[in-house]
Amino acid sequence: RATAREQKLKVRHRTGEEKQGISLLWDTKRWGKEQKKYLPIENKVLEAVLALGMFMAERGTSFNAFYGQKGICREQVEGIGGFDAFYNSVSKVIFDEGEEFSVLMSEVLRQDIFLKSKVVFCVVSGLNENIMGQADRLDKAGILTIFYVVTDENIEDYIKQSNERKKIIVLPVEAGLEGRL
């Protein structure tokens, strides 16, 4: 119509597809040998993962979940109907000292699994420079990354690295999740 109206050839330039996917990636590293130290952290990680999963499922939002179990485990959750299977899988997750979140995230990035994601939620029990570098890579790809860090330690230096596309939210180990996710 614009061509006819202006008597000049008009061409529509598409700037690319809008990313729609949501990904949830979480840490399955066991921190230490004492149950009283590692169990509260692991419980809070699982609580946050299930809360985020339920939030999306209740709204009919599909998402991909990734976690380490001596390799990448990936599940696609399709709304509330897929949440029960997801919950069942989460209940079987084994935390292990050999699991490294930065290795898991690096492998997922290497396979370009996140490229269709609009948002990546990460639930971790700690941050390091390697993880932050990978988050920068997602930022450059236009992907919003939100880190939920389960810790009672001071991570101000990392929080200062937050920006519009990379957010860091602390989840204290003994605090409730309400109002934090």
Side-chain angles (χ1 to χ4, degrees), residues 14-33:
R14 299 198 186 263
T15 58
E17 295 178 27
E18 178 70 22
K19 295 177 181 183
Q20 296 297 321
I22 296 176
S23 295
L24 172 60
L25 183 68
W26 77 90
D27 191 358
T28 57
K29 181 173 181 70
R30 172 150 294 161
W31 294 94
K33 302 216 182 283

Side-chain angles (χ1 to χ4, degrees), residues 7-62:
Q7 298 296 312
K8 289 184 182 177
L9 181 62
K10 296 289 182 180
V11 178
R12 181 178 294 165
H13 295 281
R14 299 198 186 263
T15 58
E17 295 178 27
E18 178 70 22
K19 295 177 181 183
Q20 296 297 321
I22 296 176
S23 295
L24 172 60
L25 183 68
W26 77 90
D27 191 358
T28 57
K29 181 173 181 70
R30 172 150 294 161
W31 294 94
K33 302 216 182 283
E34 288 184 50
Q35 190 176 24
K36 68 180 182 179
K37 287 189 177 184
Y38 70 73
L39 201 55
I41 295 168
E42 292 173 11
N43 286 340
K44 185 60 71 177
V45 166
L46 293 175
E47 181 183 0
V49 165
L50 290 171
L52 287 166
M54 178 59 86
F55 177 82
M56 290 182 277
E58 284 180 331
R59 284 153 184 75
T61 303
S62 298

Side-chain angles (χ1 to χ4, degrees), residues 161-176:
Q161 295 179 40
S162 288
N163 61 37
E164 194 175 290
R165 304 215 50 84
K166 178 176 57 182
K167 301 186 185 302
I168 299 168
I169 300 166
V170 175
L171 300 176
V173 176
E174 297 296 328

